[in-house]
């Protein structure tokens, strides 16, 4: 039996997306994930009762010895509705980027008009990516996001795409940047020093991520409540920024200006006049803009937890994602038009607290979804100690994955050097994952247009747009991302050389390939083999049961050790 030879198998579910029923045909005997549930109950009440009364699956010693892990379906009443789904997207999109990057984007673009043009371009790029991810999410409504999409699109060599994404997401998919931003803004609000002691910043950042991980550990509902509340707060904050800015543009508040300052609509005169910039400047500006928009894919990571009504399984996710993106995009562009603040006490202290709370909300949303993705990665047995990272707490929360998320976030926080007033180190941390994720987006987009040629997807049809529109959007998304990926290497003058971020991010992707060689080639040659078998529960969520086998050299070593251990116990 090969470690990577098994093919995914799923069951057909009446509440799952039915645009391509062929993919849900079970090809292998399913594991006993949920006992006595071979058929879905006919009535909605019977169905909900069946889900709510499901008893925990008891693992036999034989199951445990083979490393099999079974997961209960999520009760219907605990699944995410419109508000919670949209809040996950809003809370990740609106972090500190919209408050900290406009100035750097303006400096890179060289003019106000050029800056606004880049922000509009970023919104269009994000929209094209959103459509791609919507189509994939409606096709494969499982937890994991890109982990699932890449695994389904690039089936050969088996596990290569999964290993690359797993290494990238575990190492760089953390909340270190916003934890650092939260600490700096919160400390800055209560200190006259624009750069508080960086050791204190690290300490506060660690307290922040630890507190949020504990919230998600002990109560899923509390984590969602905090997430939803902070999403509403962030929308209100951006509306406040937009209204305040437009009041100033209209002539209000001029008495606070210093002599010689431009004011109001004069700021928009000669909007496209400015010094020329290098290709790296434009690419760097776009990366910062994409970082500000990042989060539109956040709901894709937990689609197994999003409600799928029987009358239209696509409704909740599709509407929530489009509404959240549209709202945030409009507010972003209006905020960039209206950005005018002075140097009063509110800006020095009050606004910093508001921005810090925005970063806090981003950490809440990202921690919730990232831990689910890392749990899916662990279920595939890709990582060392996978069974530990995949385990759940008595509170039905992913305690292993939350621990993994905390570890690497803490490592990045501790390892990040001192932050100057220009925030070069913060920018480096934030750009690392954005750059690597841009590559992931390119491969996901290519995978979507080639998906229809895979054996299990021959009946698949796009749901959100038609084929011609989809091809145009995919072409635009891939071209614009390749443009940024290429130009970011262009030399520029800065404290941190321009090649550092793309080099490190590319190195992480390359390490994913090396890791795959060891996982899929070296270990099986030594006799450590894995047979994974994805399946779908009756509520539409995807789980992965797996077995680990020892053959050849590994089995001989294990047998020798068992004999030696037995002799030692008899003496």
């Amino acid at each position: 039996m090969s470690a990577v030879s098994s093919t995914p198998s799923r069951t057909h579910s009446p509440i799952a997306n039915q645009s391509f029923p062929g993919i849900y045909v079970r090809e292998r005997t399913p594991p006993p994930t949920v006992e006595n549930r071979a058929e879905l109950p006919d009535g909605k009440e019977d169905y909900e009762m069946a889900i709510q009364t499901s008893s925990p699956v008891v693992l036999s010693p034989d199951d445990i010895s083979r490393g099999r892990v079974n997961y209960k379906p999520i009760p219907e009443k605990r699944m995410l509705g419109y508000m919670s789904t949209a809040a996950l997207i809003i809370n990740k999109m609106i972090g500190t980027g919209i408050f900290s990057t406009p100035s750097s984007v303006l400096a890179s673009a060289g003019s106000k008009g050029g800056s606004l043009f880049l922000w509009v371009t970023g919104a269009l790029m994000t929209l094209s990516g959103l459509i791609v991810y919507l189509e994939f999410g409606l096709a494969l409504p499982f937890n994991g996001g890109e982990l699932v999409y890449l695994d389904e699109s690039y089936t050969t060599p088996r596990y290569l795409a999964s290993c690359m994404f797993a290494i990238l997401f575990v190492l760089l998919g953390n909340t270190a940047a916003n934890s650092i931003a939260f600490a700096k803004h919160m400390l800055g609000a209560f200190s006259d020093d624009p750069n508080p002691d960086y050791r204190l910043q690290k300490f506060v950042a660690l307290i922040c991520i630890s507190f949020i991980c504990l919230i998600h550990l002990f109560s899923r509902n509390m984590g969602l409540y905090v997430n939803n509340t902070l999403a509403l707060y962030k929308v209100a904050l951006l509306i406040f920024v937009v209204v305040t800015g437009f009041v100033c543009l209209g002539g209000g508040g001029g008495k606070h200006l210093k002599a010689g300052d431009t004011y109001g609509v004069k700021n928009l005169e000669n909007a496209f006049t400015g010094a020329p910039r290098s290709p790296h400047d434009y690419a760097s500006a776009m990366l910062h803009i994409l970082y500000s928009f990042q989060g539109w894919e956040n709901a894709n990571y937990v689609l197994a937890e999003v409600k799928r009504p029987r009358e239209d399984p696509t409704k909740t996710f599709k509407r929530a994602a489009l509404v959240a993106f549209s709202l945030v995009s409009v507010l972003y562009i209006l905020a960039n038009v209206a950005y005018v603040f002075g140097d009063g006490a509110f800006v020095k202290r009050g606004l910093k607290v508001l921005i810090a709370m925005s970063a806090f909300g981003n950490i809440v949303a990202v921690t919730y979804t990232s831990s689910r993705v890392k749990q899916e990665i662990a279920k595939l047995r890709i990582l060392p100690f996978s069974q530990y990272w995949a385990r759940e707490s008595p509170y039905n929360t992913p305690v292993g994955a939350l621990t993994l998320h905390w570890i690497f976030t803490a490592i990045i926080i501790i390892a990040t050097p001192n932050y100057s007033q220009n925030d070069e180190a913060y920018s480096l941390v934030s750009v690392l994952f954005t750059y690597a994720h841009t590559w992931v987006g390119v491969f996901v987009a290519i995978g979507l247009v080639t998906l229809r040629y895979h054996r299990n997807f021959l009946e698949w049809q796009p749901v959100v747009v038609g084929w011609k529109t989809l091809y145009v959007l995919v072409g635009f998304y891939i071209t614009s991302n390749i443009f940024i990926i290429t130009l970011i290497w262009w030399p520029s003058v800065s404290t941190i050389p321009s090649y550092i971020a793309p080099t490190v991010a590319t190195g992480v992707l390359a390490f994913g390939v090396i890791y795959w060689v060891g996982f899929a080639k070296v270990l099986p040659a030594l006799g450590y083999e894995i047979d994974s078998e994805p399946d779908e529960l009756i509520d539409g969520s995807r789980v992965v049961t797996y077995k680990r086998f020892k053959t050849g050299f590994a089995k001989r070593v294990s047998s020798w050790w068992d004999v030696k251990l037995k002799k030692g116990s008899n003496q």
Side-chain angles (χ1 to χ4, degrees), residues 10-17 24 40 47 51 73-74 79 140-143 303-306 308 535-543:
R10 300 180 184 85
T11 58
H12 176 66
S13 169
I15 62 172
N17 186 359
Y24 291 105
L40 187 68
Y47 165 76
I51 292 291
I74 300 173
M79 298 186 78
L140 297 166
F142 311 118
N143 279 5
L303 283 182
E305 301 182 26
V306 176
R308 295 195 290 278
D535 196 25
E536 186 190 8
L537 301 182
I538 60 175
D539 70 339
S541 60
R542 178 167 117 158
V543 299

Side-chain angles (χ1 to χ4, degrees), residues 494-555:
S494 61
T495 304
I496 299 178
S498 58
Y499 61 82
I500 294 296
T503 299
V504 173
T506 304
V508 171
L509 292 173
F511 178 67
V513 177
I514 298 173
Y515 187 90
W516 169 79
V517 172
F519 173 81
K521 303 298 181 181
V522 176
L523 286 181
L526 296 176
Y528 295 93
E529 305 190 26
I530 299 172
D531 182 24
S532 62
E533 185 173 327
D535 196 25
E536 186 190 8
L537 301 182
I538 60 175
D539 70 339
S541 60
R542 178 167 117 158
V543 299
V544 178
T545 58
Y546 44 77
K547 301 176 182 178
R548 175 163 289 180
F549 299 91
K550 295 178 181 177
T551 61
F553 174 77
K555 188 174 183 178

Side-chain angles (χ1 to χ4, degrees), residues 98-100 102-103 236-249 252-258 261-264 267 331 334-352 354-355:
I98 186 58
F99 304 107
S100 60
S103 58
L237 176 59
L238 265 186
I239 292 175
F240 167 75
V241 170
V242 170
V243 172
T244 303
F246 273 92
V247 167
C248 291
L249 285 175
K255 63 182 180 180
H256 298 294
L257 291 176
K258 300 176 182 178
D261 286 346
T262 58
Y263 181 68
N267 278 306
L331 289 176
L334 291 177
N336 275 275
V337 174
Y339 256 131
V340 275
F341 284 109
D343 295 323
F346 170 73
V347 175
K348 288 183 177 179
R349 301 192 186 278
L351 187 60
K352 289 181 178 179
L354 297 180
I355 295 175

Side-chain angles (χ1 to χ4, degrees), residues 211-442:
F211 176 70
I212 291 174
C213 283
L214 289 174
I215 290 178
H216 286 307
L217 170 61
F218 289 111
S219 176
R220 175 180 181 268
N221 290 339
M222 178 58 70
L224 290 174
Y225 176 79
V226 172
N227 176 72
N228 294 353
T229 302
L230 288 175
L232 292 174
Y233 155 77
K234 289 185 181 186
V235 172
L237 176 59
L238 265 186
I239 292 175
F240 167 75
V241 170
V242 170
V243 172
T244 303
F246 273 92
V247 167
C248 291
L249 285 175
K255 63 182 180 180
H256 298 294
L257 291 176
K258 300 176 182 178
D261 286 346
T262 58
Y263 181 68
V265 294
K266 291 183 178 180
N267 278 306
L268 301 180
E269 294 179 359
N270 301 317
F272 288 92
T273 301
R277 291 294 186 266
S278 70
H280 174 271
D281 290 329
Y282 291 114
S284 178
M286 283 305 303
L287 268 184
H288 281 94
I289 290 172
L290 292 179
Y291 173 73
S292 298
F293 275 104
Q294 197 171 23
W296 47 270
E297 78 289 356
N298 204 33
N300 288 73
Y301 295 139
V302 291
L303 283 182
E305 301 182 26
V306 176
K307 289 181 178 178
R308 295 195 290 278
R310 289 193 173 199
E311 63 275 10
D312 183 2
T314 70
K315 183 169 62 175
T316 303
F317 170 51
K318 183 169 60 177
R319 292 184 181 179
L322 290 173
V323 169
F325 163 77
S326 301
L327 176 63
V328 173
S329 297
V330 171
L331 289 176
Y332 272 15
I333 293 172
L334 291 177
N336 275 275
V337 174
Y339 256 131
V340 275
F341 284 109
D343 295 323
F346 170 73
V347 175
K348 288 183 177 179
R349 301 192 186 278
L351 187 60
K352 289 181 178 179
V353 174
L354 297 180
I355 295 175
M357 293 307 298
S358 180
F360 187 86
N362 176 279
I363 303 167
V364 171
V366 174
T367 300
Y368 181 89
T369 55
S370 292
S371 60
R372 269 68 181 176
V373 177
K374 289 167 185 175
Q375 186 181 48
E376 294 299 315
I377 293 172
K379 290 178 187 178
L380 291 177
R381 285 279 189 165
I382 290 176
L383 304 176
F385 314 109
S386 286
Q387 195 166 1
Y388 178 85
W389 307 127
R391 69 191 182 100
E392 294 202 350
S393 71
Y395 310 101
N396 295 320
T397 55
V399 58
L402 283 169
T403 303
L404 185 64
H405 179 78
W406 182 91
I407 289 173
F408 280 94
T409 300
I411 289 174
I412 298 298
I413 291 173
I414 295 172
T416 302
N418 188 12
Y419 330 116
S420 70
Q421 190 168 357
N422 295 325
D423 287 333
E424 290 94 347
Y426 165 78
S427 298
L428 174 64
V429 174
S430 63
V431 166
L432 282 177
F433 182 74
T434 306
Y435 179 85
H437 192 260
T438 303
W439 269 117
V440 171
V442 169

